[in-house]
Amino acid sequence: MLALFTGCAGTKDTVKYLAADGSGDYTTLQEAFDAVPEHFRDGKWIIKVKPGEYYGQAVLDKGKDNVVLLGEDAATTVIWHDDFAGSETKGPKQAVIINADDFTAAGITFRNPHQNIREIPGENKHSQATALMVSGDRAAFYACRMIGNQDTFWGRGTGRIYCRDCYVEGNVDYIYGASTWVLDRCEIFSNQQDSYITAASTMPGQKFGITFLDCTLTNRADGTPDHDGVPFHNYYLGRPWHNEPRVAFIRCEEPEAIYPAGWTFMSCEPMLFAEYKCTGPGAAQDRLAQREMGGRQLTDEEAAQYTVANIFAASSFTEYAEDWLPADHCPYKY
């Protein structure tokens, strides 16, 4: 049986407060992250975020492990930055970057509002504007919102990411990367015509890539203009990015707006594009992509392997030194 991995040997937690009005220990998330000691092992370093909007990029450096970022409610606790690839600013462009291991967030919105406008002369077109990038291992998100347009949520590297009861919004490849990733009972919202939910770059040897368990796929109302002014009608489940992409939608609710083919091409041949017992008007047992790209329905035996415990087990990839079983609800209280 797998054990819940906490990543710390101590029992004493440290609690700090982030408040935009100056009533806490810090006024910006970067200040709060800077204060986290490296290789903290005396419990969890808990940062409680008071309601408000917090503007500015924030980076949690590698080695600053065991951090918990807690908000009262994602609807009122927003961390955001609007930089994008191609801008004149130097350095990383992502709004929030998590390079440390054993990170937990709950009740937080991560947002990058930069719009990837297609048809304005002289404007940056289809520019990456990531709201949240995770390169550490064992990152868990509960009741969080990740909101953006192109490249909203990046699983950079091959660490494990768990999202439970979250909301993710975007358009071009807005859940992407090489992480071993589970989105569990989440809402996935596509906001632009001809969108792509996923662009996996799963590495050779990873048994699992991006997995959606019991999620609900939603989108703009049919015919309403997206931010380019183009009427919204259809979008794709995803397309392959690099390496040996693996994506699976398990028991998900799929709307009519999903293209009948389901998947489309990008820069490599997919390793696995799969669905299993999905429902709704967009679910299809015989997609065009199954014939052209290898996308297919999982068998019962294959689908039985798609449990959180199996996906995050050490045996799922040689880079993992231990099993990880995240809780199915946030284990920390605000």
Side-chain angles (χ1 to χ4, degrees), residues 107-188:
I108 301 287
T109 289
F110 302 91
R111 181 170 178 257
N112 189 328
H114 174 73
Q115 293 185 349
N116 50 330
I117 303 296
R118 289 180 284 200
E119 301 298 337
I120 299 179
E123 291 290 327
N124 190 281
K125 300 178 182 179
H126 288 296
S127 53
Q128 182 190 72
T130 300
L132 177 62
M133 187 191 86
V134 176
S135 67
D137 190 21
R138 300 181 299 271
F141 299 87
Y142 302 93
C144 287
R145 301 194 305 166
M146 300 77 170
I147 299 176
N149 292 292
Q150 181 166 336
D151 299 337
T152 302
F153 197 176
W154 185 6
R156 188 177 187 224
T158 55
R160 291 164 285 186
I161 303 172
Y162 180 67
C163 300
R164 173 66 183 240
D165 300 318
C166 291
Y167 171 88
V168 187
E169 176 180 339
N171 49 63
V172 179
D173 307 328
Y174 62 97
I175 300 173
Y176 73 111
S179 296
T180 297
W181 205 329
V182 172
L183 296 104
D184 188 358
R185 293 168 175 80
C186 296
E187 179 181 356
I188 312 300

Side-chain angles (χ1 to χ4, degrees), residues 13 15 29 31 61 68 78 84 90 103 105 126-127 146 149 151 167 178 203 240 267 285 294 303 305 309 320:
D13 295 334
V15 179
L29 182 58
E31 289 175 342
D61 292 333
V68 179
V78 181
F84 59 93
K90 296 181 179 180
F103 176 82
H126 288 296
S127 53
M146 300 77 170
N149 292 292
D151 299 337
Y167 171 88
M203 295 294 293
S267 56
Q285 295 299 311
Q305 299 301 309
Y320 304 147

